Amino acid sequence: MAETLRLLSDKTRLTIIALLKEKEMCVCDIVDILETSQPNISQHLKKLKMGGIVNETRRSQWIYYSLNVADKLYLTEILNQLPSMRDKINAHKPNSCC
């Protein structure tokens, strides 16, 4: 549990979790919404994946990320406290990469 909470202590990773709480997303869309670099987001996603918080699914040449917290009931309250990112996602035009 301590390792999971340490992973969530980073603002960018917590924002990624908030985005993924709304829907499955590819890296390019997360990069666009957070207005940062692809290597930066990829490193954060790698840490979240290694921590067992996100899953990745390959579809053709793209990788999509989703939350993997069903077995981590202690995260439920944290996830419930995250602000909705629905407006940011809806305002974002899907990237042509996906």
Side-chain angles (χ1 to χ4, degrees):
M1 185 185 315
E3 178 63 23
T4 299
L5 294 175
R6 186 183 70 75
L7 285 170
L8 296 181
S9 69
D10 180 89
K11 182 180 177 182
T12 301
R13 287 193 289 270
L14 198 56
T15 305
I16 291 170
I17 293 300
L19 287 168
L20 296 178
K21 180 180 149 190
E22 300 294 337
K23 67 181 240 177
E24 175 183 70
M25 300 183 83
C26 67
V27 175
C28 56
D29 286 331
I30 296 170
V31 166
D32 287 348
I33 291 170
L34 297 184
E35 298 177 346
T36 189
S37 69
Q38 184 272 328
N40 180 35
I41 295 302
S42 291
Q43 284 300 312
H44 286 295
L45 285 167
K46 179 180 176 182
K47 289 177 182 179
L48 290 168
K49 182 183 172 210
M50 289 175 58
I53 299 173
V54 299
N55 287 322
E56 65 177 31
T57 305
R58 181 174 290 278
R59 292 191 199 130
S60 184
Q61 64 195 36
W62 309 115
I63 297 176
Y64 288 81
Y65 292 87
S66 60
L67 287 182
N68 178 32
V69 294
D71 63 337
K72 297 168 189 67
L73 297 178
Y74 59 92
L75 289 180
T76 302
E77 189 59 34
I78 294 170
L79 294 175
N80 289 339
Q81 295 300 315
L82 293 176
S84 174
M85 300 297 280
R86 191 168 293 134
D87 289 342
K88 281 195 176 218
I89 291 170
N90 290 339
H92 171 258
K93 293 189 181 3
N95 199 312
S96 61
C97 73
C98 303

